[in-house]
Amino acid sequence: PRVVDRGHRHHSQHLRRRAIVNDEERAFLDAHTYAVIATTRRDGSPQQSMVAYAVDVEGRLVISTKSYTAKWHNLLRHPRASVTVPDGREHLVLTGPVELITDDPERAELTADVFAVLTGGERPEPTSIVAMLDDQQRTVLRITPETAGLHR
């Protein structure tokens, strides 16, 4: 299943917010794996990347990324993003604050969830992937949707 629930909570730059995603939007998220995330460059222009994601029980998107990417550096400066989940002409657009998660065990727990969704296989044991995450300089983005719109 695509739903993930980890008891670990990371102190973030934002107050914890409840995601604004209705049942129809949640079903659309659960039926897909890839999205386009838009962040803001230093000069204010948008930067986009294709990403794989998982969705937690609160409707937040969880994305594993490397700490040297443009999106990571952009989000350090301006921790808000817009995400589009495409399906032909239909698409879901979400916007909201982003938590930047670098510490284990939460980083490994959340990344294991994303890897399971991405591969469609079993969820790896989080402690078994920590060395690989360190090697690849992997981090996690957790986006809490404040706005959501499904376009059909």
Side-chain angles (χ1 to χ4, degrees):
R2 296 179 60 81
V3 177
V4 295
D5 182 20
R6 301 286 157 246
H8 310 291
R9 298 294 181 238
H10 179 75
H11 62 279
S12 78
Q13 300 170 5
H14 304 284
L15 295 175
R16 201 153 159 213
R17 298 179 176 110
R18 182 138 181 84
I20 308 298
V21 178
N22 67 32
D23 291 342
E24 183 182 23
E25 294 159 346
R26 178 56 191 254
F28 192 88
L29 282 172
D30 290 344
H32 296 83
T33 305
Y34 291 97
V36 177
I37 184 171
T39 60
T40 306
R41 291 185 176 113
R42 187 182 312 272
D43 68 3
S45 64
Q47 187 271 330
Q48 295 180 315
S49 303
M50 181 70 80
V51 294
Y53 66 88
V55 183
D56 71 13
V57 295
E58 295 182 37
R60 297 174 299 181
L61 274 67
V62 178
I63 298 165
S64 176
T65 190
K66 296 176 181 177
S67 63
Y68 53 82
T69 62
K71 68 181 146 294
W72 178 260
H73 289 285
N74 293 341
L75 290 166
L76 284 172
R77 282 189 306 276
H78 185 76
R80 294 190 62 80
S82 175
V83 176
T84 300
V85 180
D87 187 354
R89 290 185 56 96
E90 284 187 304
H91 59 283
L92 176 64
V93 178
L94 309 162
T95 63
V98 180
E99 294 174 79
L100 306 163
I101 301 168
T102 58
D103 297 332
D104 291 316
E106 189 171 28
R107 173 189 68 152
E109 291 282 347
L110 295 172
T111 302
D113 296 331
V114 175
F115 285 2
V117 168
L118 184 58
T119 64
E122 290 210 14
R123 182 178 182 270
E125 171 57 39
T127 56
S128 73
I129 63 172
V130 170
M132 181 214 38
L133 299 179
D134 289 343
D135 228 26
Q136 294 183 7
Q137 301 175 50
R138 286 205 164 270
T139 59
V140 171
L141 308 175
R142 183 164 49 200
I143 303 166
T144 302
E146 290 179 332
T147 65
L150 184 56
H151 304 274
R152 295 193 182 257

